[in-house]
Amino acid sequence: MATMKTSAMDERLERLNAILKAIRRLGQLINRQKDSQKLLTQTTKLLIETRKYEVVWLALLEQKKVRQVFSASSGKDYSPFFETYLNHAPSHCAQEALQHESAICIPHQGS
């Protein structure tokens, strides 16, 4: 029982350290990179490296329409998804996000 608690605590500590590392590196990137396009591109890559996400993407909006997408992945090519996204109607989750003025969290629905 104590081993399970220690293991869970170790996992939580590892996750929190990874979050802090990502925040620290993002702060350094913001201070160093003045070009907004490069900043957003490098941000997606940094989050892949530090948080071990499969894919990270950021969208620039103009009048509630996606104008540009910045993305990085841990190996899989997601460019067909982003091309479809930019050239057609946004996905259900994107439509929901566009209805809000502030950031929201949309849980993964699974396929």
Side-chain angles (χ1 to χ4, degrees), residues 29 33-44 70:
L29 179 60
Q33 185 54 262
K34 301 306 177 200
D35 180 282
S36 62
Q37 305 278 317
K38 289 179 182 177
L39 173 65
L40 293 171
T41 298
Q42 291 173 358
T43 296
T44 60
F70 300 87

Side-chain angles (χ1 to χ4, degrees), residues 37-92:
Q37 305 278 317
K38 289 179 182 177
L39 173 65
L40 293 171
T41 298
Q42 291 173 358
T43 296
T44 60
K45 292 176 183 177
L46 187 143
L47 290 171
I48 292 290
E49 293 169 11
T50 58
R51 297 293 298 129
K52 307 292 187 233
Y53 293 127
E54 182 178 337
V55 63
V56 172
W57 64 284
L58 304 169
L60 286 182
L61 304 176
E62 185 178 298
Q63 299 177 347
K64 293 202 172 199
K65 293 190 180 198
V66 175
R67 295 296 176 211
Q68 193 168 6
V69 173
F70 300 87
S71 66
S73 71
S74 59
K76 185 176 177 183
D77 181 15
Y78 286 89
S79 58
F81 167 79
F82 296 117
E83 288 171 17
T84 300
Y85 183 84
L86 284 171
N87 296 321
H88 298 87
S91 64
H92 168 72

